[in-house]
Amino acid sequence: MSPTPPSSVRRVACIGAGVIGGGWVAHFLARGYDVTAWDPAPDAEDKLRRLVTAAWPALEQLGLAEGASADRLTLAPSLAEAVADADAEFVQESAPEQLELKRDLLAQLDAAAPPGVVIASSTSGYPMTDMQTTAATPGRLVVGHPFNPPYLIPLVEVVGGERTDRAAVEWAAEFYGVAGKSVITMDRELPGFIANRLQEALWREALHMVANGEATVEDIDASITEGPGLRWAFMGPILTFALAGGEGGMAHMLDHFGPSLKSPWTRLEAPELDRALRDAMVDGCERAADGRTYAQLVAERDQGVIDVLRATGRLDGPAR
């Protein structure tokens, strides 16, 4: 699909430089790529460079690729100039989650990028089928859905739309792997993809419990960080459940606990997000933050993920 093999890519264009786009920029810089970024906001460059500077200590702990440097970042004056350069070998779009905006932007990128270059969208939920409708060559458009922050969380979910060439999906999946990501290549489109659908189920149940006064924000967070979250970090929910069946594995677990699936434990319909529920969630998070600033919380989160990665053998080096 792309004239450049995934392992030979040297320059990436990142379109949109907010939290997700900026996180992609930091990740690609840390992996030794030249990065050209564009964002229409007047203060985009200052914010992006601050984000990269803030992320760099965590990236140094993760391990920088040979030649990695924040100095390899260039800000382009226009969308077309960001991707039209013949050296641009991959494009990552990270615009706000508005379907018409995504649709128009991907069509512009398709018109401006060199022929054959794969263009990926960071959308967190829109199917590529819905976003590629106005592009002249939709075959090269794929979803490359990351997790925040993209420079730290390994997962990226890759899937094409109805008009996407399979070769583009395969190329993108291989490229993300070369670029240091953990890749799930989906065989079919699914609104919200995989991880977001699972997160959404937990999120909705949490909102119900807060709305009904059944649990506090602090209770819910502790129930994960002090419970299943410690197992999910390295084993995932399905294999964790299989171990609940002992030597009989998943089969015994289902035979033993299967009837409980009929119990009305969860309420997957979204509750009404009224002022009372909103205030309860906001107030609970403020209590949980306990005076820590956003920057302090981000630093603690980043260090925590790094420590978990080390503790589970997925990152070399001593813990701090």
Side-chain angles (χ1 to χ4, degrees):
M1 178 68 189
S2 172
T4 304
S7 60
S8 299
V9 171
R10 294 293 175 265
R11 179 175 295 279
V12 174
C14 290
I15 306 303
V19 173
I20 298 300
W24 272 122
V25 168
H27 172 77
F28 288 129
L29 288 171
R31 299 300 298 182
Y33 295 97
D34 294 309
V35 178
T36 302
W38 176 79
D39 190 290
D43 58 349
E45 180 170 1
D46 289 341
K47 286 185 175 180
L48 176 57
R49 294 193 183 278
R50 287 201 299 271
L51 187 155
V52 171
T53 297
W56 211 254
L59 290 165
E60 288 177 328
Q61 289 194 65
L62 289 171
L64 300 176
E66 183 178 355
S69 172
D71 294 334
R72 298 176 72 170
L73 170 62
T74 301
L75 273 293
S78 69
L79 178 151
E81 290 175 84
V83 301
D85 191 320
D87 289 337
E89 296 160 315
F90 176 70
V91 179
Q92 184 77 44
E93 171 272 312
S94 304
E97 285 291 287
Q98 301 170 22
L99 181 57
E100 287 302 324
L101 173 63
K102 293 274 195 186
R103 188 176 285 157
D104 180 64
L105 184 57
L106 287 172
Q108 291 183 56
L109 290 171
D110 177 45
V117 170
V118 173
I119 301 169
S121 174
S122 297
T123 180
S124 60
Y126 290 129
M128 179 50 71
T129 294
D130 294 344
M131 296 189 294
Q132 64 188 171
T133 55
T134 60
T137 52
R140 60 169 164 172
L141 303 181
V142 305
V143 167
H145 171 230
F147 286 80
N148 188 37
Y151 64 83
L152 193 59
I153 305 299
L155 182 62
V156 60
E157 296 171 315
V158 179
V159 64
E162 291 178 359
R163 301 170 67 193
T164 301
D165 294 337
R166 183 63 191 177
V169 174
E170 293 172 351
W171 188 97
E174 183 179 349
F175 168 72
Y176 283 126
V178 170
K181 303 300 283 185
S182 177
V183 182
I184 292 176
T185 305
M186 298 177 62
D187 292 330
R188 64 182 67 183
E189 289 183 293
L190 183 68
F193 316 114
I194 298 172
N196 270 357
R197 290 176 72 93
L198 295 172
Q199 288 189 130
E200 182 70 8
L202 192 152
W203 170 241
R204 290 190 182 191
E205 189 61 29
L207 290 176
H208 274 296
M209 286 190 280
V210 173
N212 294 335
E214 298 162 344
T216 66
V217 168
E218 298 94 326
D219 293 337
I220 292 167
D221 279 350
S223 75
I224 299 301
T225 61
E226 303 303 311
L230 294 173
R231 302 176 300 189
W232 292 348
F234 55 88
M235 189 165 287
I238 306 301
L239 191 55
T240 295
F241 273 127
L243 293 183
E247 293 183 358
M250 178 60 75
H252 180 69
M253 195 283 294
L254 290 173
D255 291 341
H256 187 69
F257 294 104
S260 69
L261 294 175
K262 300 290 186 180
S263 300
W265 285 359
T266 60
R267 297 151 295 200
L268 294 181
E269 291 294 325
E272 181 65 26
L273 188 57
D274 57 19
R275 173 61 64 175
L277 176 55
R278 181 188 180 281
D279 289 348
M281 297 301 295
V282 171
D283 293 343
C285 288
E286 288 179 354
R287 291 195 303 272
D290 195 26
R292 290 169 293 176
T293 66
Y294 172 79
Q296 289 172 324
L297 290 169
V298 167
E300 290 180 24
R301 177 203 61 194
D302 288 1
Q303 186 63 54
V305 173
I306 289 170
D307 289 347
V308 168
L309 289 172
R310 280 207 179 97
T312 55
R314 286 175 282 174
L315 183 66
D316 294 330
R320 62 173 179 165

